[in-house]
Amino acid sequence: MRLLERMRKEWFMIGIVLAIAGAKLKPSVGVNGGPLKPEITVSYIAVATIFFNSGLSLKTEFADCRLHASPCVFCSDFNQGSWWK
């Protein structure tokens, strides 16, 4: 039972070790043009996931403030941009 508790606590490190071991055993999976397509996966999907996760961790007060400010900035920019025409 103690081993199971330890594995639940250290799940991330166990996952990293398994990923490294899998990459060592079968490196052709992650090569350019391979089944994982790292040229697309790393460029777009990983970056989008990182930004999505950091957005989920924002406090709601900060997010509400930003949501209110965005339309104001857009409207003022749009209005000032039409002055030059």
Side-chain angles (χ1 to χ4, degrees):
M1 191 66 170
R2 196 156 170 89
L3 178 65
L4 187 59
E5 290 174 10
R6 182 70 174 190
M7 287 177 62
R8 283 186 182 159
K9 184 180 178 187
E10 301 290 338
W11 65 270
F12 188 71
M13 287 302 292
I14 293 170
I16 288 175
V17 169
L18 289 175
I20 291 172
K24 180 74 173 169
L25 293 174
K26 191 81 169 157
S28 62
V29 174
V31 74
N32 278 348
L36 283 182
K37 303 246 186 271
E39 58 275 3
I40 296 171
T41 311
V42 173
S43 302
Y44 300 107
I45 298 173
V47 172
T49 304
I50 290 168
F51 277 105
F52 181 72
N53 283 337
S54 61
L56 288 177
S57 67
L58 288 176
K59 293 184 173 144
T60 55
E61 297 87 21
F62 182 72
D64 290 342
C65 173
R66 296 285 294 172
L67 288 174
H68 175 70
S70 297
C72 296
V73 170
F74 173 73
C75 291
S76 66
D77 185 42
F78 178 74
N79 290 337
Q80 290 175 1
S82 62
W83 288 353
W84 302 107
K85 292 183 181 182

